């Protein structure tokens, strides 16, 4: 299953060898309305400070988002999104040693972000909302994360249909000229991503099938409603639940984790990496 990512990918001086480490993507929302941290990092200075903190705690990738994807979020124009993310990305490239990812489904925003210095595109619509985004990834030779998503949470058989949806995203990326080694898949865990809580739980249970598609897999469960539903807890109290999903994801073969709480998650990830054989430690 390692053929798509056997050769480690080096980006901005950071080598992503998925066989040796589970990589952490730190969430940096420069939005006023994101479900967990909206409004906290809207200034460039605050965003840079938070990114530095996350890198110091173990994040190798910083994912910059300029538009919320929570249920009921207010859509903004491309110009407004670009105005939010580009100054932050420009500052991060100068001040933070990390892979900078742009969290957007709009090709114009992705292109502006990459021109500003972003190294990766994270598309919650898997190149379906704006297929030109795959052309941007190919033109600028940057990796793209293709997340599973659909308009309606309506499935007869969840995994076969999700697999078909992802194959459509892969076809768009391949047609645009994105090489396999630049493609990462994401199961799209979240109520806002065409899934009910029951669907999200099923999708988690199908992670081995997603991993078996042969691409690196990013798992993004941090503080999400599935955890809240299981534990009956608000967003701020979902740390342990998130940790359970992260460790479970590593055991099922996932390669990257998109997270808010870096330090405690890094500790859990290291233990899980040792237990699954990704990392070795000296023991008596």
């Amino acid at each position: 299953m390692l053929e798509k990512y056997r050769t480690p990918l080096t980006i901005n001086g950071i080598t992503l060898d998925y066989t040796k480490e589970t990589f952490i993507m730190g969430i940096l929302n420069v939005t006023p309305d994101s479900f967990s941290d909206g409004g906290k990092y809207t200034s460039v200075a605050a965003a840079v400070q938070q990114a530095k903190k996350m890198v110091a705690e173990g994040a190798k990738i910083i994912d910059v988002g300029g538009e919320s994807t929570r249920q009921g979020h207010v859509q903004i124009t491309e110009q407004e999104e670009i105005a939010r993310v580009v100054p932050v990305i420009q500052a991060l490239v100068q001040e933070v040693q990390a892979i900078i990812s742009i969290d957007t489904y709009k090709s114009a925003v992705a292109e502006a972000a990459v021109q500003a210095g972003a190294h990766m595109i994270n598309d919650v619509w898997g190149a379906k909302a704006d297929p030109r985004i795959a052309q941007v990834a190919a033109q600028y030779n940057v990796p793209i994360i293709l997340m599973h998503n659909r308009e309606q949470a309506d499935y007869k058989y969840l995994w076969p249909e999700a697999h078909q949806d992802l194959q459509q995203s892969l076809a768009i990326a391949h047609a645009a000229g994105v090489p396999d080694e630049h493609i990462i898949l994401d199961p799209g865990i979240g109520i806002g991503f065409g899934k009910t809580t029951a669907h999200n739980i099923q999708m988690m249970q199908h992670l081995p099938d997603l991993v078996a598609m042969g691409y690196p897999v990013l798992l993004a469960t941090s503080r999400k409603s599935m955890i809240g539903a299981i534990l009956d807890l608000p967003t701020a109290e979902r740390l342990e639940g998130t940790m359970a999903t992260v460790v479970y994801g590593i055991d099922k073969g996932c390669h990257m984790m998109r997270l808010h709480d870096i330090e405690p998650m890094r500790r859990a990830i290291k233990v899980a990496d040792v237990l699954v054989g990704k990392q070795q430690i000296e023991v008596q």
Side-chain angles (χ1 to χ4, degrees):
M1 299 301 174
L2 298 178
E3 63 272 12
K4 300 291 195 308
Y5 49 91
R6 181 172 289 141
T7 301
L9 196 62
T10 300
I11 306 169
N12 194 32
I14 295 169
T15 299
L16 300 176
D17 186 343
Y18 301 112
T19 67
K20 294 183 178 178
E21 182 181 351
T22 301
F23 291 92
I24 296 173
M25 171 185 279
I27 299 167
L28 186 62
N29 289 318
V30 291
T31 57
D33 57 345
S34 288
F35 83 97
S36 180
D37 54 0
K40 288 186 177 181
Y41 312 115
T42 52
S43 76
V44 172
V48 170
Q49 183 179 14
Q50 175 65 5
K52 287 181 176 179
K53 178 179 182 288
M54 290 192 290
V55 169
E57 291 178 350
K60 299 287 179 68
I61 307 158
I62 301 296
D63 194 37
V64 179
E67 180 180 270
S68 174
T69 55
R70 67 174 176 81
Q71 273 195 309
H73 74 278
V74 177
Q75 286 192 312
I76 60 174
T77 65
E78 292 176 347
Q79 291 73 23
E80 188 174 356
E81 193 173 343
I82 289 169
R84 286 180 182 179
V85 301
V86 164
V88 171
I89 290 168
Q90 289 173 331
L92 292 177
V93 170
Q94 293 296 320
E95 299 188 46
V96 180
Q97 181 56 36
I99 297 167
I100 308 302
S101 169
I102 175 63
D103 179 2
T104 189
Y105 57 88
K106 302 169 188 170
S107 62
V109 177
E111 186 164 28
V114 172
Q115 288 175 344
H119 312 103
M120 182 181 288
I121 298 168
N122 182 13
D123 181 2
V124 299
W125 277 103
K128 290 182 178 179
D130 183 354
R132 184 180 167 269
I133 201 167
Q135 297 172 20
V136 173
Q139 178 184 345
Y140 291 92
N141 197 35
V142 297
I144 183 168
I145 299 164
L146 302 172
M147 195 187 85
H148 177 262
N149 202 344
R150 57 164 57 183
E151 290 284 353
Q152 300 294 328
D154 183 17
Y155 306 86
K156 186 174 182 181
Y157 301 106
L158 179 100
W159 171 247
E161 294 175 51
H163 181 267
Q164 185 177 33
D165 292 343
L166 286 166
Q167 291 287 7
Q168 292 168 358
S169 290
L170 287 167
I172 293 169
H174 288 149
V178 180
D180 273 336
E181 59 267 25
H182 277 182
I183 294 174
I184 298 161
L185 299 181
D186 180 333
I189 303 300
I191 291 293
F193 301 138
K195 299 174 190 70
T196 64
T197 296
H199 292 143
N200 284 313
I201 292 169
Q202 289 178 56
M203 196 68 167
M204 290 291 292
Q205 293 166 343
H206 280 285
L207 285 177
D209 297 309
L210 179 58
V211 171
M213 291 179 69
Y215 296 86
V217 171
L218 169 70
L219 184 61
T221 55
S222 189
R223 303 180 184 173
K224 287 192 174 173
S225 59
M226 175 188 70
I227 297 163
I230 293 170
L231 296 177
D232 191 23
L233 288 173
T235 305
E237 296 179 36
R238 297 174 187 171
L239 176 68
E240 298 88 350
T242 299
M243 195 173 291
T245 64
V246 167
V247 172
Y248 175 88
I250 293 170
D251 182 58
K252 301 305 177 186
C254 296
H255 309 90
M256 301 167 64
M257 299 291 163
R258 184 177 182 271
L259 300 166
H260 295 91
D261 307 289
I262 309 303
E263 181 64 31
M265 295 299 170
R266 180 190 62 77
R267 295 171 181 169
I269 286 169
K270 182 170 182 178
V271 173
D273 277 356
V274 170
L275 295 179
V276 301
K278 284 185 184 178
Q279 293 190 40
Q280 306 295 322
I281 60 167
E282 291 186 12
V283 292
Q284 295 294 328

